[in-house]
Amino acid sequence: MAIEKFTYDNKIAKYFANATIVWGVVAFLVGLIAALELIFPAFSLNLQYITFGRLRPLHTNAAIFAFVGNGIFAAIYYSTPRLLKTPMFSKTLSLINFWGWQLIIVLAAVTLLAGFTTGKEYAELEWPVDILIAIVWVIFGWNLIGTMLQRRTKHIYVAIWFYIATFVTVAVLHIVNSIELPVSILKSYPVYAGVQDALVQWWYGHNAVAFFLTTPVLGLMYYFIPKAANRPVYSYKLSIIHFWSLIFLYIWAGPHHLLYSSTPDWAQALGVVFSIALIAPSWGGMINGLLTLRGAWDKVREDPVLKMFVVGVTAYGMSTFEGPLLSLKSVNAISHFTDWTIAHVHIGTLGWNGMLMFGMLYWLYPRFYKVKLYSKSWANTHFWLATLGMLFFAIPLYFAGFTQALMWKEFTAEGYLKYPNFLDTYLQIRPMHMFRAVGGVLYLTGAILMVINLIRTAQSGKFARFEEDEAMALEAKTVKEGWHRRLEGKPVMFTIFALIAILIGGIVEFVPMFLIKSNIPTIASVKPYSPLELQGRDIYIREGCYNCHSQMIRPFRSEVERYGEYSKAGENVYDHPFQWGSRRTGPDLAREGVKTGKIYKPDSWHYEHFVNPQKTNIQSIMPPYPWLARQDLNIESTPKKIRAMQSLGVPYPEGYDQQAIADLKAQAAQIAGGLRSAGIEVADQTEIIALIAYMQRLGTDISSGSQMVNK
Amino acid sequence: MSKIIARILENVSWLDELSAILMVFFLVLFIIIIVGVLRMRKEKVEEYKRIPLNENDQDHVI
């Protein structure tokens, strides 16, 4: 059979690699500013666009979708043609993929800072951007599958298996979690509410980690480690077992983010069981990566690329051991809502994702420009800055997490909370947050050093856009092969099997949760929000309050003592979206409005606290929100929002949208009047009035004599 | 459709058995995969795990 010559085009891989570097620095910088705001609230400069609540989603989205996202595209567009011995299917689709993805990132940055958010972690982008993401992702998949179909190698290599799983699963996750009802061009409500929304969101959130931050990076690992070490992957058998078990098991584990919440116990149990089971396939990947280096460890001593890969894969192993540990209910009771979780995710992102990306970039640029790396010693320095930065970042946060948990739960001999003032528990960990910021500075400095090194590398060579290669055309011969080997020769079938494997867990968890009413016992006294409260809730979401405050009181004595009655599933049935949060930098707010409650504050306190938190407590780290008292509420949007809620099943009376504005004005006048009698001059229809109305509503539905009924 | 599924889920007692059947099914499937993989011939496996390495990648190793 004749040998065919063909050409690889490095342009798109280089574009994505450049974007990885740029957005990586942006993500780290924004993260550092957010970290500094937690230490010095004045860092937000009284600007509504850069408060912690808006910066944190920008940081997480930039780190996940801009830095790692561009990195995995760079890896896929470089490795896929070489593994399949063919150019990419379509240069046009490749370009649309690249520019479409950059457009999404820019739109994300602008809209998140402007306060347009769905209020769902890692899925904050509003519906027009969600549609754009779906389109660009399908284009990417079309290009990937098209390339597989024109391949010259009969079998698809293990890296491609992980790329396939990434494509199909991210598509499913994104589409299902983003089903929302638009109210305006940049505002929507998710179709799911309360517990159901929480289950879908954390099915998405957990598997965004699995299928955006893990499977494509494992694919990257399976290509670049053997290349950099010049050795085959350690075990083909292990790659089969760990691939299928990883993608099958991961999808079930989402509810481990909801332990001790009002999610049904059976869902929590599934989350725990599958999280523990995940240790095996995760470590299968780690072992396969590290043992690929057997016989090549002498190279690790010399080569910064391999050093970064080794630390990255080790961080993956640590992180995927810690994840199941955190999923045990007894551990989660301590760790959840504390900085322990923040430390855990940063071992994953700074260690596993960051180091793999850096190693890949140091490997790619000399090959793009056909020169040696400008400075190997700078790359080694970057390695140490990144490694130490990661440790300086994570270790203080582990201490902070333990400290928070212990202080939240400590009682005096008389049976009272030892630290009833939540702020005391934050002030104790402030020094640890300072150390964390030092870690961030080290990590960012290393990344900047890499940028200079790679620019100098590019300047010292000439970009080799095209690379020639040759291979035999794909033969249609039939040779007796094992079942998996046959499957590797049928990429479409492989894709379908991967899709089935990832669908099972979601279906088993979602169908009963949505169809069996006893999962969410209805509470007769729980009523829809008033129009003013609904508007206030949207401001709560806009300002990203959920980034620091939870609305989920777990059934522990320490939490009930601090906040009041534990949260019930039926309380959130009209919450589109749910706002349970995942971290408590500030106290839980689920019972904020209960007048006889543990944490009740009058309207005047809330006003002063929003305008200048340091006035109510000099040591508060909450940023000021003075614009809330200046900006008028968008009253005209109220009827539309009421109609949207009615469409989603919230039982407002028919025609209530016509009455809503009058009701809103009446309630606003009442609150503003109360504030004026307390000596505070404020206009009736400002945003702060709506937010106060929402605060005072929280938790009041079941404050007394409520009945839980299964309808 | 969803009402029909809901009624089945609410009222059918054999769902408990179904979950046990599914568990056994996936367990057996998993064991078959493991046994199948372990029975692969060593020389074949050595061949399969190789990445296509015939491009000249080692020219510019740093």
Side-chain angles (χ1 to χ4, degrees):
Chain A
M1 182 160 286
I3 298 280
E4 295 179 343
K5 286 186 185 293
F6 49 92
T7 308
Y8 303 123
D9 187 349
N10 285 332
K11 188 170 85 170
I12 290 296
K14 189 190 81 166
Y15 279 8
F16 275 118
N18 289 345
T20 308
I21 296 168
V22 172
W23 293 120
V25 171
V26 171
F28 307 150
L29 183 63
V30 174
L32 180 60
I33 295 169
L36 290 171
E37 285 187 355
L38 286 183
I39 309 165
F40 310 108
F43 246 86
S44 69
L45 307 173
N46 278 8
L47 292 174
Q48 58 183 314
Y49 306 107
I50 54 167
T51 56
F52 183 84
R54 297 197 193 184
L55 272 191
R56 193 253 182 176
L58 177 64
H59 165 61
T60 52
N61 278 274
I64 298 169
F65 301 109
F67 171 54
V68 180
N70 277 300
I72 61 180
F73 281 130
I76 290 169
Y77 277 97
Y78 185 85
S79 64
T80 302
R82 286 163 172 82
L83 289 170
L84 300 174
K85 296 290 169 201
T86 177
M88 284 304 291
F89 171 66
S90 163
K91 287 182 183 176
T92 309
L93 292 181
S94 305
L95 278 171
I96 295 173
N97 187 173
F98 175 76
W99 288 112
W101 199 252
Q102 307 320 307
L103 177 64
I104 288 164
I105 294 166
V106 172
L107 288 174
V110 173
T111 55
L112 289 174
L113 292 182
F116 298 106
T117 169
T118 62
K120 294 171 66 154
E121 286 180 71
Y122 323 126
E124 286 94 347
L125 303 180
E126 269 297 352
W127 67 273
V129 190
D130 280 343
I131 291 173
L132 189 58
I133 292 171
I135 293 169
V136 172
W137 195 257
V138 169
I139 284 170
F140 155 63
W142 179 8
N143 210 4
L144 179 68
I145 292 172
T147 308
M148 286 193 289
L149 294 178
Q150 64 179 27
R151 72 196 186 282
R152 290 186 177 83
T153 54
K154 180 162 170 42
H155 304 96
I156 50 175
Y157 177 69
V158 55
I160 306 276
W161 310 350
F162 282 96
Y163 300 159
I164 290 171
T166 302
F167 164 63
V168 294
T169 317
V170 171
V172 172
L173 293 169
H174 174 68
I175 291 168
V176 173
N177 192 45
S178 302
I179 301 176
E180 49 218 0
L181 186 63
V183 182
S184 67
I185 187 67
L186 282 171
K187 175 68 189 169
S188 65
Y189 295 122
V191 296
Y192 319 107
V195 170
Q196 293 169 345
D197 193 33
L199 187 75
V200 175
Q201 160 59 22
W202 283 114
W203 164 81
Y204 163 88
H206 178 73
N207 288 299
V209 173
F211 290 89
F212 206 90
L213 299 178
T214 302
T215 52
V217 186
L218 281 167
L220 186 160
M221 178 192 87
Y222 274 114
Y223 181 81
F224 286 97
I225 289 188
K227 284 286 193 186
N230 199 23
R231 300 188 58 77
V233 63
Y234 168 65
S235 169
Y236 168 76
K237 293 179 180 180
L238 187 55
S239 36
I240 293 173
I241 294 172
H242 106 93
F243 170 77
W244 288 105
S245 44
L246 189 87
I247 68 166
F248 175 75
L249 294 174
Y250 237 127
I251 210 86
W252 298 70
H256 72 208
H257 291 260
L258 301 167
L259 300 183
Y260 289 112
S261 72
S262 52
T263 313
D265 274 349
W266 62 263
Q268 296 185 34
L270 276 179
V272 173
V273 168
F274 281 88
S275 301
I276 301 301
L278 265 174
I279 294 179
S282 300
W283 276 46
M286 176 191 72
I287 289 166
N288 226 3
L290 286 181
L291 291 188
T292 297
L293 294 167
R294 85 212 141 109
W297 284 96
D298 55 314
K299 289 185 185 173
V300 177
R301 198 167 50 224
E302 301 296 325
D303 185 353
V305 171
L306 286 176
K307 278 182 199 173
M308 286 179 167
F309 285 160
V310 167
V311 170
V313 176
T314 307
Y316 174 63
M318 297 304 102
S319 183
T320 52
F321 176 75
E322 189 187 25
L325 183 76
L326 292 170
S327 303
L328 291 170
K329 287 188 90 168
S330 49
V331 178
N332 195 272
I334 300 166
S335 70
H336 196 53
F337 293 131
T338 75
D339 281 351
W340 188 345
T341 314
I342 318 302
H344 167 64
V345 297
H346 281 85
I347 292 289
T349 44
L350 300 179
W352 163 238
N353 298 130
M355 288 298 203
L356 268 278
M357 293 304 153
F358 298 148
M360 176 190 74
L361 292 168
Y362 282 121
W363 192 87
L364 280 177
Y365 274 75
R367 283 159 182 82
F368 283 157
Y369 290 92
K370 301 293 178 199
V371 287
K372 288 187 183 299
L373 186 70
Y374 176 75
S375 171
K376 191 171 160 181
S377 70
W378 284 13
N380 277 319
T381 308
H382 177 200
F383 166 77
W384 283 109
L385 284 171
T387 304
L388 290 173
M390 182 173 68
L391 296 176
F392 265 92
F393 190 103
I395 292 171
L397 284 190
Y398 283 118
F399 277 97
F402 304 148
T403 306
Q404 280 175 311
L406 293 174
M407 291 180 81
W408 290 347
K409 289 175 181 293
E410 189 168 355
F411 283 86
T412 63
E414 293 77 27
Y416 297 109
L417 282 172
K418 186 163 183 188
Y419 303 99
N421 182 359
F422 186 92
L423 188 58
D424 291 342
T425 67
Y426 179 77
L427 295 174
Q428 193 70 25
I429 63 168
R430 201 171 172 207
M432 300 161 202
H433 278 189
M434 291 177 182
F435 272 110
R436 182 266 290 270
V438 172
V441 170
L442 290 176
Y443 202 84
L444 177 63
T445 307
I448 292 169
L449 193 59
M450 176 188 73
V451 174
I452 300 167
N453 203 356
L454 295 181
I455 290 174
R456 291 278 173 92
T457 303
Q459 286 171 339
S460 62
K462 190 168 180 298
F463 177 53
R465 178 172 171 184
F466 298 105
E467 282 180 44
E468 301 282 330
D469 200 359
E470 57 185 29
M472 283 193 290
L474 185 59
E475 277 184 86
K477 65 179 179 186
T478 50
V479 181
K480 193 169 181 298
E481 291 176 319
W483 60 274
H484 200 272
R485 198 63 179 161
R486 282 203 305 276
L487 190 60
E488 290 164 35
K490 301 178 189 308
V492 174
M493 189 66 77
F494 196 103
T495 306
I496 293 168
F497 277 20
L499 180 65
I500 293 169
I502 63 103
L503 283 178
I504 293 169
I507 291 169
V508 171
E509 287 176 356
F510 289 170
V511 171
M513 185 64 87
F514 281 86
L515 297 181
I516 300 179
K517 286 193 174 172
S518 59
N519 276 316
I520 304 165
T522 312
I523 303 172
S525 60
V526 173
K527 301 284 185 239
Y529 293 106
S530 74
L532 187 65
E533 290 157 4
L534 186 64
Q535 291 282 14
R537 190 169 202 272
D538 286 342
I539 293 166
Y540 183 93
I541 292 166
R542 182 189 78 190
E543 298 301 339
C545 304
Y546 65 91
N547 288 291
C548 289
H549 295 278
S550 57
Q551 287 186 26
M552 175 48 62
I553 303 170
R554 297 178 295 173
F556 302 138
R557 182 183 161 218
S558 58
E559 299 210 0
V560 172
E561 189 63 32
R562 185 182 296 278
Y563 302 116
E565 179 69 8
Y566 68 87
S567 300
K568 316 287 190 295
E571 288 183 85
N572 303 120
V573 290
Y574 305 131
D575 287 358
H576 298 266
F578 81 113
Q579 288 289 282
W580 295 355
S582 60
R583 185 196 186 195
R584 286 180 186 151
T585 304
D588 188 278
L589 301 176
R591 300 269 174 256
E592 186 67 27
V594 180
K595 280 197 174 161
T596 53
K598 314 266 182 186
I599 52 173
Y600 176 76
K601 308 281 191 320
D603 291 355
S604 55
W605 185 93
H606 281 297
Y607 181 93
E608 301 288 4
H609 187 241
F610 284 134
V611 173
N612 182 5
Q614 285 71 41
K615 192 174 172 185
T616 54
N617 191 322
I618 188 76
Q619 291 176 305
S620 171
I621 58 152
M622 182 158 134
Y625 293 81
W627 55 89
L628 295 177
R630 292 195 301 266
Q631 289 175 184
D632 286 337
L633 192 61
N634 180 6
I635 293 174
E636 289 68 37
S637 63
T638 311
K640 248 186 179 180
K641 288 183 176 180
I642 296 289
R643 285 195 293 276
M645 285 292 165
Q646 286 173 319
S647 307
L648 296 172
V650 179
Y652 290 106
E654 201 166 322
Y656 185 67
D657 56 318
Q658 302 302 316
Q659 174 66 30
I661 289 183
D663 283 3
L664 182 149
K665 286 180 177 174
Q667 190 182 4
Q670 192 184 5
I671 295 171
L675 287 173
R676 280 194 285 273
S677 41
I680 296 168
E681 273 313 309
V682 60
D684 283 10
Q685 285 148 31
T686 45
E687 292 181 336
I688 201 165
I689 300 295
L691 190 53
I692 290 171
Y694 175 61
M695 287 286 114
Q696 299 294 29
R697 171 64 188 274
L698 286 172
T700 55
D701 280 332
I702 63 159
S703 58
S704 62
S706 304
Q707 283 188 317
M708 290 183 34
V709 289
N710 289 335
K711 283 184 183 170
Chain B
M1 180 67 183
S2 64
K3 280 183 182 167
I4 295 169
I5 297 172
R7 195 169 301 144
I8 291 171
L9 289 171
E10 290 279 14
N11 301 324
V12 178
S13 58
W14 47 260
L15 269 179
D16 284 346
E17 283 73 36
L18 180 66
S19 63
I21 292 165
L22 280 175
M23 197 184 78
V24 171
F25 172 75
F26 284 119
L27 197 62
V28 170
L29 187 65
F30 184 67
I31 290 167
I32 289 171
I33 290 173
I34 297 275
V35 171
V37 168
L38 291 178
R39 288 184 62 205
M40 287 174 176
R41 296 222 313 273
K42 195 181 174 198
E43 60 274 23
K44 286 285 180 197
V45 167
E46 287 302 313
E47 177 198 327
Y48 295 164
K49 74 184 186 185
R50 290 189 183 280
I51 192 168
L53 260 177
N54 60 352
E55 27 168 328
N56 195 13
D57 276 336
Q58 299 305 310
D59 291 348
H60 301 284
V61 173
I62 48 178

